[in-house]
């Protein structure tokens, strides 16, 4: 009886170990080799641009798949131009992020 229980426990452990190895991370697969654009709604040289450029390396380190981070400035109308771009034009898959 104990031998059967030990064999059963070993088989369950092996089955669980195999299934954990077979699982893939869909987030890492999505961001692998991609680029995330942080679009700042002010002109260059401002504090919001500095915040975005400071935040970029941390995002790159902690987002699964380690995508490259690009910060661009889109000044105009107090951030409205950037907000309209994010809402109306940008792809809605997480690769374009606005910082108005």
């Amino acid at each position: 009886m104990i031998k059967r229980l030990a064999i059963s426990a070993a088989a369950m452990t092996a089955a669980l170990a195999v299934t954990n190895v077979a699982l893939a991370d869909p987030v890492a697969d999505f961001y692998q080799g991609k680029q995330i654009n942080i679009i700042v709604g002010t002109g260059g040289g401002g504090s919001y641009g500095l915040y975005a450029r400071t935040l970029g390396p941390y995002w790159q380190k902690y987002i699964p798949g380690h995508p490259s981070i690009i910060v661009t400035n889109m000044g105009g109308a107090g951030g409205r131009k950037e907000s309209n771009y994010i809402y109306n034009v940008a792809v809605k898959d997480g690769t374009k992020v606005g910082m108005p």
Side-chain angles (χ1 to χ4, degrees):
M1 181 70 173
I2 294 175
K3 187 176 182 180
R4 256 193 257 170
L5 184 61
I7 292 173
S8 175
M12 289 296 288
T13 303
L16 288 174
V18 169
T19 57
N20 283 340
V21 170
L23 295 177
D25 187 5
V27 176
D29 291 341
F30 176 76
Y31 283 115
Q32 183 71 37
K34 290 202 177 175
Q35 152 181 322
I36 294 178
N37 293 330
I38 302 175
I39 302 171
V40 181
T42 60
S47 60
Y48 287 109
L50 177 65
Y51 300 152
R53 285 173 178 77
T54 303
L55 180 72
Y58 292 102
W59 276 18
Q60 188 173 13
K61 181 178 178 183
Y62 291 109
I63 291 178
H66 307 291
S68 59
I69 306 291
I70 306 295
V71 178
T72 57
N73 292 79
M74 185 181 289
R80 185 170 290 153
K81 183 177 177 184
E82 175 266 336
S83 296
N84 284 333
Y85 173 79
I86 292 293
Y87 185 78
N88 295 316
V89 178
V91 181
K92 311 291 191 282
D93 65 353
T95 57
K96 306 275 187 199
V97 179
M99 189 169 192

